[in-house]
Amino acid sequence: MQRKLSIGTVERLIHYYRCVEELIIEGQTCISSEELAEKTGYTPAQVRKDLTWHGALGVPGKGYATDVVQQVLRKLLGKHRPRLVGLVGVGHLGLALLRHPDFHKHGFHIVAGFDKELTKIGHSIDGVYIYDVSQIEKVCPLLKIEMGLVAVPPLEAQKVSDALIRAGVLGILNFAAVRLSVPSHVHLENVDLSIELEKLSCRIEGWL
Amino acid sequence: MQRKLSIGTVERLIHYYRCVEELIIEGQTCISSEELAEKTGYTPAQVRKDLTWHGALGVPGKGYATDVVQQVLRKLLGKHRPRLVGLVGVGHLGLALLRHPDFHKHGFHIVAGFDKELTKIGHSIDGVYIYDVSQIEKVCPLLKIEMGLVAVPPLEAQKVSDALIRAGVLGILNFAAVRLSVPSHVHLENVDLSIELEKLSCRIEGWL
DNA sequence: TAGATTGTTAATCGATTAACAATC
DNA sequence: TAGATTGTTAATCGATTAACAATC
């Protein structure tokens, strides 16, 4: 396995995947780089370059078979099996994540929630059982959870992410506004909402 | 006003700003590019390059005065006045945004909520009055709202963003998983949570 | 002055774009 | 075959890194 893709390329490939997924549902079997570019907002040259990632996929004179593109990108995205996800922090953000319709659609299954509030522990929300945060290390391996969503206040984020790591998760999506420290074998992605607002501010100020 | 900064530079500058803000609170008056790099996870050369954005700020042999850096970056981020923000969609995600403690801390003030559910309209949540979505165009100009948070289901996102645009907002932070079309004078930033999960998946698969 | 650290220039690196021969 | 569109190469563009003279 080669690790050669840039984050920019990966983002575009994800968008191509979403696009061909829809096209397949609509029954379209073939698409040109020009059309795919138009639908995703990139350029045809960029699309062709990106799609050679895994060898030549297209048919000169025709375009790309949508099902071939889908198959190859499924591999990139690790969609051969469902992703089992644990949610830590069942406040408003946690509930929003739990009810987020797209997660399930894209193969991410939240199979356990964790919170420290006694009023939440022991109940199911939308079919997802809520455990005490102290059970993270016990429950995650049992349920074969491989990704964790950290939706707790900043001061608790490191602590729960340490627990997730001890529980063997491979990746953490962190919503708390702190820089988590994780060992090198654990993958981390951050969503910092106030950074997004600051970026928008910069756009409004005209610096971008 | 020159528009010369790349998105990457802006992101780093935001992190420098957060860092010097903390340092000032701790009473530190000066910082070297090396220390700032260490604290933010970038390189000293990168830090120095970024900080020349607005002319020479540092003192050779000493480093950067924290208050000077703060002042200059405040300008970049448009922090001379509070940002008034309207929230459309007061579901779980909306509530999470409404209660997000960092927004207020960083000068973003949610001053109105909008929803279509009658049970929510007319009540205040954490001091924020919830209006009917049909009132967006009337209320936003009155309250001088300049940014909109779109936290509604995908199918309604374009409709409410159109209303926000007619109401004169300058920027939209969109949480719905659709590509919104906005006129060129309106700035748009997207937060797509399932894309973030896909990126994390790619990391786990070893492509990044 | 000596020591430290900046700002800047040049070199490197990587990503995007353009063009076109290859090919279905 | 003629027409269309790919895959690839070379050119361009921009961002990062390294090195060091300038300077406090």
Side-chain angles (χ1 to χ4, degrees), chain A residues 32-33 48-49 56-58 61 64:
Chain A
S32 68
S33 59
R48 290 201 296 277
K49 187 105 206 188
L57 293 183
Y64 300 85

Side-chain angles (χ1 to χ4, degrees), chain A residues 13-68:
Chain A
L13 288 170
I14 294 170
H15 283 109
Y16 303 149
Y17 178 79
R18 301 248 165 126
C19 190
V20 296
E21 223 179 14
E22 273 188 31
L23 290 173
I24 287 170
I25 291 169
E26 292 165 12
Q28 187 170 335
T29 58
C30 187
I31 188 168
S32 68
S33 59
E34 189 170 342
E35 194 185 346
L36 190 51
E38 212 253 317
K39 281 184 182 295
T40 52
Y42 306 118
T43 67
Q46 183 77 268
V47 170
R48 290 201 296 277
K49 187 105 206 188
D50 290 337
L51 288 182
T52 57
W53 155 67
H54 194 249
L57 293 183
V59 182
K62 294 286 181 188
Y64 300 85
T66 49
D67 58 350
V68 170

Side-chain angles (χ1 to χ4, degrees), chain A residues 118-175:
Chain A
L118 294 174
T119 55
K120 288 169 186 161
I121 296 163
H123 296 92
S124 284
I125 303 178
D126 287 357
V128 176
Y129 193 82
I130 312 299
Y131 300 87
D132 189 292
V133 279
S134 67
Q135 303 300 300
I136 288 175
E137 287 166 74
K138 204 174 295 175
V139 172
C140 289
L142 274 169
L143 296 181
K144 306 215 184 306
I145 284 171
E146 52 179 351
M147 289 171 47
L149 304 177
V150 172
V152 300
L155 287 174
E156 287 156 51
Q158 185 64 57
K159 202 172 54 195
V160 304
S161 97
D162 289 344
L164 284 166
I165 291 160
R166 283 194 300 271
V169 303
L170 302 173
I172 290 175
L173 184 58
N174 173 41
F175 291 87

Side-chain angles (χ1 to χ4, degrees), chain B residues 51-62:
Chain B
L51 289 181
T52 57
W53 155 66
H54 193 248
L57 293 183
V59 182
K62 294 287 183 188

